[in-house]
Amino acid sequence: MTVMENYEQWLKDFAGDPETVAELEAIRGDEKEIEDRFYTELSFGTAGMRGVLGAGMNRMNKYNVRRATKGLAGFLLENPENAKRGVVIGYDSRNYSAEFAKDTALTLCAEGVPAYLFDALRPVPLLSYAVRHLNAAAGIVITASHNPPQYNGYKVYGDDGAQVGPETADGITRIIRATKYTDCVLMDEEEAKASGLLKIIGDKEVDDDYMAQEKTLVIQPEMLASIGSRLSIVYTPLHGSGNVPVRRILRELGIEKLAVVTEQEKPDGNFSTLTCAPNPENPEAFTLAFKLADKVGASVIFATDPDCDRLGVAVKDREGEWRLLTGNQIGCVLLHYILSQKKERGELPANAAAVTTIVSTEMARAIAEDYNVKLIKVLTGFKYIAEQIHLFETTGCNTFMFGFEESFGYLSGTDVRDKDGVNACMLIAEAASWYKKMYDKTLADAIDMLYEKYGYYGDKVTSFVLPGKDGLEKMQHTMAALRENPPKDFAGEKVVAVRDYQTSVRKTVSGETETLTLPKSNVLYFELENKAWICVRPSGTEPKIKLYVNAVSGGDETTKALLNAYSDAAVKLLESL
């Protein structure tokens, strides 16, 4: 069908829905807007689906939610006994999250699949834990994570508590594509409850067990309770689902001086106090937290995103200025703290391993090697870290110690199989307390101590936002052009090898090749002469190309200069394409 035929079909199919009809009639005559909404269906992949809220095939709305759910139900019902275990459903504070979650539950019930629906918003890591805790067949979270407020999304988890892999996603997609929007129905809510198919999860049924297992991951609880009671922290949940669990875990572990940004405490799908996306990677997201921290004299600031799987941290430096740590810096501080303290206590297994991604800092490797710990690098996406945890458990080859992504995601346990902002807040509080006790140092000092020991590693990430059909074509063209004519240098620094994860080949400048063992992915990775590297990849969840630049040297200023030079050259190249 053509774009206009799809548009007219929606008007016909949903003629009984006045809101949808009004929204679609309002864009009649706007060819570009109609094309963007109807040139394709909202894609479903390993990250589920995510898009701008609105009416249309290529938008997040109740009809796409119901259709995706019917597709998931059909996939689960290919094994009826497995489907009887049910699906756990969580949601965050975004607009329509609660409504989409209820529609999800009632669609499952209409298909005969039991649904466990949380009674209020919950973090992603708690949903991941609940899937395993309740022995469910799958899990769903309604969230668009750290995207701008006009977005929402739908993430699917397997029975291991991790986001589904490519094979499962393809199986679900196959059924979704064969399902008509008009074939999706909801069971009456009271009927669903009376039949036992719909079960509402209250605040005691899973939350307490989740909190209990989180506390088992504290390495030095007595030290944390003692020093942490003097640690002054400001926390902002950025209007999201971290508000209750983060405050609870810190309070129960002995953090008494915890001030919360009241303006950002309550759920707000419009994120009306923010001038940027609710992303703790953005310095602007800390504006109100900085003011409160200065007022109360705090030394550390925590910020979690709406679904509380990411954590951003700001600390006071020696000059009394606030310093926003990068995801790599947080990850390396936590990795070093965990490994050093486990070793000191005689609790570091001989087969210990840490896992991070190919776009995360090589400083993690230097730290791991210092403690004789194996470091494994995987593709971007925490599901790949979860795959390694599963491999460790099933084969016994390694013991998982810590996993992190440069995009502010961290995990130190195995009961949750996704990045865990609650876990990360607890760990950073413990690490901050330890540095205070041992050296009378802050986390800013901790970073500098690691640099002095392992080298001054730096990183810089630039995003090129390319929305709509034109944007998709530009991304495809850019990646194709880079493959056909890869750059020979960046700012005069020679490229010594190119890794193409789509063809699974690493090729050196001398023409030598080797096979890459990671799954195929649309990623290009350029190795430079002096241990620096540059990576380019389209985002899997947003309409953008991401550019990663990493460098290392013996001095802070030298590394910054290298980063800026490489980044400027790479940005110029991508803009030309």
Side-chain angles (χ1 to χ4, degrees), residues 456-478:
Y456 286 81
Y457 288 80
D459 58 276
K460 192 171 185 179
V461 182
T462 305
S463 295
F464 299 83
V465 180
L466 300 165
K469 183 181 179 182
D470 292 346
L472 180 62
E473 291 171 351
K474 287 178 182 177
M475 283 192 274
Q476 292 170 341
H477 168 77
T478 300

Side-chain angles (χ1 to χ4, degrees), residues 35-103:
E35 179 185 63
D36 191 44
R37 292 184 186 225
F38 289 96
Y39 82 93
T40 187
E41 294 178 342
L42 197 63
S43 63
F44 187 97
T46 57
M49 59 185 186
R50 188 176 300 187
V52 174
L53 289 161
M57 294 162 49
N58 191 34
R59 290 289 187 271
M60 266 301 290
N61 51 63
K62 59 188 177 184
Y63 299 115
N64 264 322
V65 166
R66 294 171 186 177
R67 186 169 178 243
T69 305
K70 187 175 174 66
L72 172 62
F75 180 80
L76 294 175
L77 286 166
E78 290 178 349
N79 183 346
E81 286 303 311
N82 184 50
K84 288 179 182 178
R85 295 158 59 195
V87 178
V88 188
I89 305 158
Y91 59 94
D92 69 2
S93 57
R94 287 182 175 272
N95 291 328
Y96 299 103
S97 282
E99 292 88 343
F100 290 165
K102 183 174 285 188
D103 273 15

Side-chain angles (χ1 to χ4, degrees), residues 454-519:
Y454 298 109
Y456 286 81
Y457 288 80
D459 58 276
K460 192 171 185 179
V461 182
T462 305
S463 295
F464 299 83
V465 180
L466 300 165
K469 183 181 179 182
D470 292 346
L472 180 62
E473 291 171 351
K474 287 178 182 177
M475 283 192 274
Q476 292 170 341
H477 168 77
T478 300
M479 296 303 292
L482 283 173
R483 282 191 169 88
E484 291 169 9
N485 189 24
K488 293 180 172 57
D489 71 273
F490 289 92
E493 201 71 54
K494 289 183 180 178
V495 175
V496 296
V498 179
R499 301 182 208 167
D500 187 342
Y501 287 93
Q502 187 159 281
T503 61
S504 299
V505 173
R506 177 183 181 268
K507 186 176 183 179
T508 67
V509 288
S510 60
E512 297 174 349
T513 63
E514 65 177 283
T515 301
L516 301 172
T517 58
L518 294 181

Side-chain angles (χ1 to χ4, degrees), residues 371-557:
Y371 288 93
N372 198 30
V373 169
K374 185 176 184 179
L375 182 79
I376 297 168
K377 287 213 165 187
V378 296
L379 292 176
T380 306
F382 223 86
K383 59 182 171 288
Y384 296 112
I385 295 177
E387 280 183 1
Q388 292 298 312
I389 296 174
H390 179 72
L391 176 67
F392 297 168
E393 285 189 342
T394 53
T395 67
C397 61
N398 291 104
T399 300
F400 178 75
M401 305 307 297
F402 184 62
F404 80 92
E405 291 183 314
E406 57 77 34
S407 55
F408 289 59
Y410 321 95
L411 181 68
S412 69
T414 59
D415 289 293
V416 170
R417 298 295 170 93
D418 205 346
K419 46 190 175 286
D420 188 343
V422 181
N423 176 223
C425 285
M426 179 187 77
L427 291 172
I428 279 288
E430 183 178 357
S433 299
W434 183 77
Y435 275 99
K436 179 70 175 174
K437 176 186 177 183
M438 296 299 294
Y439 308 107
D440 194 27
K441 300 286 189 182
T442 68
L443 289 173
D445 297 319
I447 294 293
D448 294 336
M449 290 168 70
L450 294 180
Y451 284 154
E452 289 167 13
K453 183 172 184 178
Y454 298 109
Y456 286 81
Y457 288 80
D459 58 276
K460 192 171 185 179
V461 182
T462 305
S463 295
F464 299 83
V465 180
L466 300 165
K469 183 181 179 182
D470 292 346
L472 180 62
E473 291 171 351
K474 287 178 182 177
M475 283 192 274
Q476 292 170 341
H477 168 77
T478 300
M479 296 303 292
L482 283 173
R483 282 191 169 88
E484 291 169 9
N485 189 24
K488 293 180 172 57
D489 71 273
F490 289 92
E493 201 71 54
K494 289 183 180 178
V495 175
V496 296
V498 179
R499 301 182 208 167
D500 187 342
Y501 287 93
Q502 187 159 281
T503 61
S504 299
V505 173
R506 177 183 181 268
K507 186 176 183 179
T508 67
V509 288
S510 60
E512 297 174 349
T513 63
E514 65 177 283
T515 301
L516 301 172
T517 58
L518 294 181
K520 292 183 184 296
S521 184
N522 191 11
V523 179
L524 287 168
Y525 187 108
F526 304 95
E527 302 174 24
L528 306 188
E529 273 187 319
N530 58 353
K531 295 184 180 180
W533 54 267
I534 291 170
C535 185
V536 184
R537 58 177 282 269
S539 170
T541 57
E542 300 169 87
K544 61 175 61 171
I545 279 184
K546 300 189 79 170
L547 167 69
Y548 304 82
V549 180
N550 274 243
V552 59
S553 76
D556 186 34
E557 293 304 317

